[in-house]
Amino acid sequence: MTLFDGLTSRAIDTSRLAVTILERTGDDPATTPERTVVFVHGNVSSSLFWQETMRHLPAELRVIAVDLRGFGGTENVPVDATRGVRDFSDDLHATLTALEIPTAHLVGWSMGGGVVMQYALDHPVLSLTLQSPVSPYGFGGTRRDGSRLTDDDAGTGAGGANPDFVKRLTEHDTSDEAQTSPRSVFRGAYVSPGYRSEHEDVWVESMLTTSTATGNYPGDAVQSANWPGFAPGTTGVLNTMAPKYFDVSGIVDLDPKPPILWVHGVTDAIVSDTSFFDLNYLGQAGVVPDWPGEDVAPAQPMVSQTRDVLGLYAERGGDVRELALEGVGHSAHLERPVEFRAALLRVIGYLAQPSDPAPPTEAIILRSAD
């Protein structure tokens, strides 16, 4: 792995599997949970994506980034998708237990946002930072209220993965010769148009750690009588977020309620009300043929669903801050690192809340202790 200065990697033997974590050199293992921040990456990525964020956080904090199973250096043990993302969240709990960390501030990106929400349903946490998180109702196949469109969740899960993209992951393709190459997908979907990074090779390297072995990415699919003709199987990464297996909207009933920061880019191509990774939206746009219409297969309003659930969380006494960043895609921590870190430090209580709220397009306080 390509590690930035000041970061180290090591494997942790847990009760479930061997997990690789990144840490900063010099961080004190005796740091209190109140000053411990744990980062969880998203789909087709790894802990490497968190390196810039980790390096620039205050030295008084202990920061750890964890590789989920089948990503980075962690074992590529098959994923039981019928448990939703619980294989991932249980692995995370086993890792923190092995590190003797009883609780912490959790930061989850994309699928990792779903992992940390599931973790909060099962274990106490001090705060949640959700960056471009998967909707609380999963990825694809639901109406705004979270109700499922079909009994088999047609059009969601592993069947929607592009075979050539999977092939290029398997072959560790670093080129940009095709739209389906990991590098092209990073440029076209992970970040906003025109964004460039001197560390792009590292981000692509991180994507290429994704295991495409049986039971990992993307998973299995089954035939469906419903459009577009497939439904999620029972194993693999993409199936974990199928709505019949995944629903973390129960966070609204947490007691006590940890403070939540929701950060997302307004131009996100992946998690959006008009997501280019939602088969129903692609059908509506004419990209996937024979779309049966909005009454049967509407696009999933992912951002609206998250706002609804977090709004209810706030109504029931939770402290929620939404940071919506104009001109930013799926990776706010890369594209707007200063704002991302400042918001994170506020939600974990390291910085005081600002006396004057930012403009409405930048920060919307749904409910806050201040």
Side-chain angles (χ1 to χ4, degrees), residues 39-52:
F39 295 89
V40 181
H41 63 81
N43 191 15
V44 190
S45 62
S46 74
S47 60
L48 293 180
F49 265 99
W50 291 116
Q51 293 188 89
E52 283 190 312

Side-chain angles (χ1 to χ4, degrees), residues 34-76:
E34 290 75 18
R35 287 290 180 261
T36 299
V37 184
V38 178
F39 295 89
V40 181
H41 63 81
N43 191 15
V44 190
S45 62
S46 74
S47 60
L48 293 180
F49 265 99
W50 291 116
Q51 293 188 89
E52 283 190 312
T53 304
M54 294 171 69
R55 290 178 69 203
H56 291 97
L57 287 174
E60 293 84 357
L61 301 177
R62 183 185 185 189
V63 294
I64 298 167
V66 178
D67 283 336
L68 300 176
R69 66 169 63 191
F71 299 96
T74 293
E75 285 188 77
N76 59 342

Side-chain angles (χ1 to χ4, degrees), residues 243-290:
K244 65 179 175 180
Y245 303 138
F246 178 92
D247 184 342
V248 294
S249 61
I251 62 170
V252 299
D253 295 319
L254 286 178
D255 185 19
K257 287 179 166 60
I260 293 179
L261 168 65
W262 173 31
V263 183
H264 61 104
V266 174
T267 61
D268 193 338
I270 298 175
V271 177
S272 166
D273 285 1
T274 54
S275 169
F276 290 100
F277 289 75
D278 178 3
L279 267 290
N280 288 1
Y281 178 70
L282 293 179
Q284 177 183 326
V287 177
V288 179
D290 303 321

Side-chain angles (χ1 to χ4, degrees), residues 101-247:
I101 298 173
T103 187
H105 300 280
L106 301 187
V107 182
W109 174 33
S110 195
M111 181 181 76
V115 173
V116 301
M117 283 188 276
Q118 182 62 59
Y119 189 101
L121 287 171
D122 298 331
H123 309 284
V125 301
L126 297 177
S127 72
L128 292 175
T129 295
L130 310 174
Q131 177 183 257
S132 300
V134 61
S135 162
Y137 300 114
F139 200 93
T142 59
R143 301 174 184 87
R144 181 160 177 170
D145 65 0
S147 57
R148 293 162 57 201
L149 300 178
T150 63
D151 290 339
D152 62 355
D153 296 337
T156 74
N162 185 294
D164 193 59
F165 176 64
V166 177
K167 178 174 180 288
R168 290 173 184 274
L169 281 177
T170 304
E171 295 174 349
H172 289 218
D173 177 14
T174 62
S175 74
D176 60 0
E177 64 182 18
Q179 289 186 332
T180 51
S181 73
R183 188 178 298 274
S184 296
V185 170
F186 171 80
R187 293 175 180 173
Y190 281 43
V191 293
S192 58
Y195 171 83
R196 291 292 181 266
S197 168
E198 63 179 312
H199 303 302
E200 182 177 274
D201 287 346
V202 180
W203 312 146
V204 174
E205 175 188 342
S206 178
M207 295 172 71
L208 293 175
T209 67
T210 302
S211 171
T212 56
T214 300
N216 294 130
Y217 183 87
D220 61 333
V222 298
Q223 290 186 332
S224 172
N226 300 303
W227 184 89
F230 69 85
T234 60
T235 64
V237 175
L238 292 186
N239 295 329
T240 66
M241 292 172 283
K244 65 179 175 180
Y245 303 138
F246 178 92
D247 184 342

